[in-house]
Amino acid sequence: MSIAPDRTDIRHDWTPAEVGALFQMPFSDLVHQAQTVHRAHFDANQVQLSTLLNIKTGACPEDCAYCPQSVRYDTGLEREALMDLDEVLTQARAARQRGATRFCMGAAWRSPKDKDLATVCEMVQGVKALGLETCATLGMVSTEQAQTLKNAGLDYYNHNLDTSEAYYKEIITTRTYDDRLETLSAVRAAGMKVCCGGIIGMGESLEDRMQLLVTLANLPTHPESVPINQLVPVAGTPLADQAPPDVFEFVRTIAVARILMPRSFVRLSAGREDMSDEMQALCFLVGANSIFYGEKLLTTPNPQSDRDRVLFTRLGITPMQEDAKENGVAESTCCDTPSQLTGSA
Ligand code: SAM
Ligand code: DTB
Ligand code: SF4
């Protein structure tokens, strides 16, 4: 079955008032609108699987208030130098074996040194040769560095805006929102796909969430991938004691992201370990169609693959295959049964 896409709803001129009105809709009406948009562009029962690997841990000079890897906070994390190529490839093979189609390598850097970038390029080439899509998140990159990564075969670059421009300075003081936007432009100029989203639950207001989504939707091209993270509060960071966001407010954020960016993959990202199955089901219902799959995010736990497999089976969700997602339009070429979520666990 193929679903005829309606391409007329791709817009880059959303106003804060319009987006604010979406957030205020009665919940059932918002769910209906988000589902309608979702089904116009995707198979609503398929979810894409990405696996994360932290290739360089801790000792980051930045002061991101949420991050366990900042050198400024004592989070008990052991710092680790850049991982060996062989170890990265071993982890990538395991991710592929479990059923992931994308492998995302993260490094706790403000920006990569050219020497390290050369090593990361070898990792990208090796992971791509395994038949996986490649993604990296290495901090700020110049246009030249972005081009180097593109030439090595990098498909996606992750670089989050995290929150609204107004709230950004409450969270990070060592770089600006414009620094972030510049890297996103460099990634686009190099011809890579953009993965860009934010974090909910850092004490931001509804207005900040709305402004973040307006900024993302009004970029010249929508990010192909939009990770919506729920803050994972980590002891030792300034945000350690943040209470989780209201479940319905979180689900509304996913729904509005789906409506504003109809063809993008909206990823239910960090924070799933603390979410009930019912909350995750609501997120899928309103258009989340990607997750991080595997027992670890970068440094914090993610649900066990077994738990995700059971949840997918209960919901009738199948993992998306490579050829089903090229245009963001499902062609129903995916696995027949949820049990085909492979894995040895
Ligand atoms: N250093 C690079 C950078 O900041 O762009 C790449 C790695 S950084 C850890 C990637 C993203 O992880 C951040 O932009 C942030 O959105 C997310 N993140 C980090 N710590 C988190 C936490 N405790 N909870 C939720 N998301 C988090
Ligand atoms: C994204 O938006 N979330 C991921 C990925 N992109 C790099 C990272 C989540 C990190 C959660 C905290 C940790 O495990 O260190
Ligand atoms: Fe460093 Fe990235 Fe963590 Fe910020 S989010 S402290 S830049 S690793």
Side-chain angles (χ1 to χ4, degrees), residues 60-64 66-67 69-70 107-110 175 180:
C60 180
E62 303 276 66
D63 69 352
C64 312
Y66 48 76
C67 188
Q69 302 200 71
S70 167
W109 288 324
R110 174 177 164 82
R175 58 172 189 258
R180 256 2 224 182

Side-chain angles (χ1 to χ4, degrees), residues 92-100 341-344:
R93 272 186 216 99
R96 186 186 59 176
Q97 168 68 19
R98 274 200 306 270
L341 243 182
T342 52
S344 49

Side-chain angles (χ1 to χ4, degrees), residues 171-235:
I171 299 296
I172 299 154
T173 69
T174 49
R175 58 172 189 258
T176 66
Y177 215 64
D178 280 346
D179 290 333
R180 256 2 224 182
L181 291 168
E182 259 180 48
T183 288
L184 292 172
S185 299
V187 170
R188 273 290 176 222
M192 280 184 286
K193 293 181 192 167
V194 168
C195 172
C196 183
I199 305 178
I200 307 300
M202 301 191 292
E204 75 285 350
S205 64
L206 295 183
E207 169 82 13
D208 292 313
R209 292 175 195 164
M210 189 266 290
Q211 288 291 354
L212 167 68
L213 294 185
V214 168
T215 305
L216 291 171
N218 290 347
L219 288 170
T221 305
H222 292 166
E224 283 78 4
S225 186
V226 180
I228 304 292
N229 297 276
Q230 176 172 290
L231 175 74
V232 180
V234 177

Side-chain angles (χ1 to χ4, degrees), residues 3-6 9 35-42 329:
I3 296 167
D6 172 10
D9 55 354
Q35 259 273 314
T36 305
V37 170
H38 189 44
R39 285 174 180 273
H41 297 273
F42 292 98
V329 177

Side-chain angles (χ1 to χ4, degrees), residues 24-299:
Q24 297 304 323
M25 280 169 80
F27 188 72
S28 294
D29 292 350
L30 180 62
V31 169
H32 182 253
Q33 188 167 333
Q35 259 273 314
T36 305
V37 170
H38 189 44
R39 285 174 180 273
H41 297 273
F42 292 98
D43 182 326
N45 301 310
Q46 290 191 344
V47 168
Q48 187 271 335
L49 307 181
S50 293
T51 290
L52 279 170
L53 178 68
N54 212 24
I55 58 172
K56 187 266 169 182
T57 303
C60 180
E62 303 276 66
D63 69 352
C64 312
Y66 48 76
C67 188
Q69 302 200 71
S70 167
V71 75
R72 299 167 194 241
Y73 317 128
D74 182 6
T75 61
L77 191 68
E78 253 182 57
R79 42 179 85 176
E80 285 168 35
L82 189 56
M83 202 176 261
D84 285 341
L85 176 62
D86 283 353
E87 175 61 14
V88 173
L89 296 183
T90 301
Q91 299 278 348
R93 272 186 216 99
R96 186 186 59 176
Q97 168 68 19
R98 274 200 306 270
T101 58
R102 190 179 310 162
F103 193 69
C104 180
M105 293 162 275
W109 288 324
R110 174 177 164 82
S111 57
K113 296 191 184 75
D114 286 341
K115 177 175 76 66
D116 291 330
L117 198 69
T119 310
V120 174
C121 285
E122 288 176 32
M123 296 173 182
V124 170
Q125 283 159 354
V127 172
K128 207 171 169 64
L130 295 175
L132 286 159
E133 284 186 314
T134 52
C135 176
T137 181
L138 315 170
M140 293 183 276
V141 289
S142 66
T143 311
E144 296 71 37
Q145 289 178 316
Q147 196 60 59
T148 303
L149 288 163
K150 167 73 182 166
N151 294 345
L154 190 65
D155 298 307
Y156 287 81
Y157 196 80
N158 166 252
H159 201 66
N160 290 337
L161 288 175
D162 282 336
T163 188
S164 68
E165 180 166 17
Y167 197 59
Y168 201 74
K169 34 191 154 333
E170 308 296 324
I171 299 296
I172 299 154
T173 69
T174 49
R175 58 172 189 258
T176 66
Y177 215 64
D178 280 346
D179 290 333
R180 256 2 224 182
L181 291 168
E182 259 180 48
T183 288
L184 292 172
S185 299
V187 170
R188 273 290 176 222
M192 280 184 286
K193 293 181 192 167
V194 168
C195 172
C196 183
I199 305 178
I200 307 300
M202 301 191 292
E204 75 285 350
S205 64
L206 295 183
E207 169 82 13
D208 292 313
R209 292 175 195 164
M210 189 266 290
Q211 288 291 354
L212 167 68
L213 294 185
V214 168
T215 305
L216 291 171
N218 290 347
L219 288 170
T221 305
H222 292 166
E224 283 78 4
S225 186
V226 180
I228 304 292
N229 297 276
Q230 176 172 290
L231 175 74
V232 180
V234 177
T237 64
L239 298 181
D241 298 323
Q242 277 294 323
D246 175 80
V247 171
F248 295 119
E249 294 302 339
F250 185 88
V251 175
R252 280 178 185 275
T253 308
I254 299 258
V256 175
R258 165 51 64 221
I259 292 166
L260 301 191
M261 293 167 278
R263 293 181 65 195
S264 303
F265 280 82
V266 176
R267 182 173 308 115
L268 178 56
S269 302
R272 288 197 305 115
E273 179 73 339
D274 294 328
M275 294 178 194
S276 67
D277 287 352
E278 291 79 4
M279 177 176 175
Q280 294 186 57
L282 274 178
C283 292
F284 296 134
L285 184 69
V286 298
N289 62 347
S290 172
I291 58 167
F292 286 122
Y293 182 62
E295 284 92 26
K296 203 168 167 199
L297 291 164
L298 294 174
T299 67

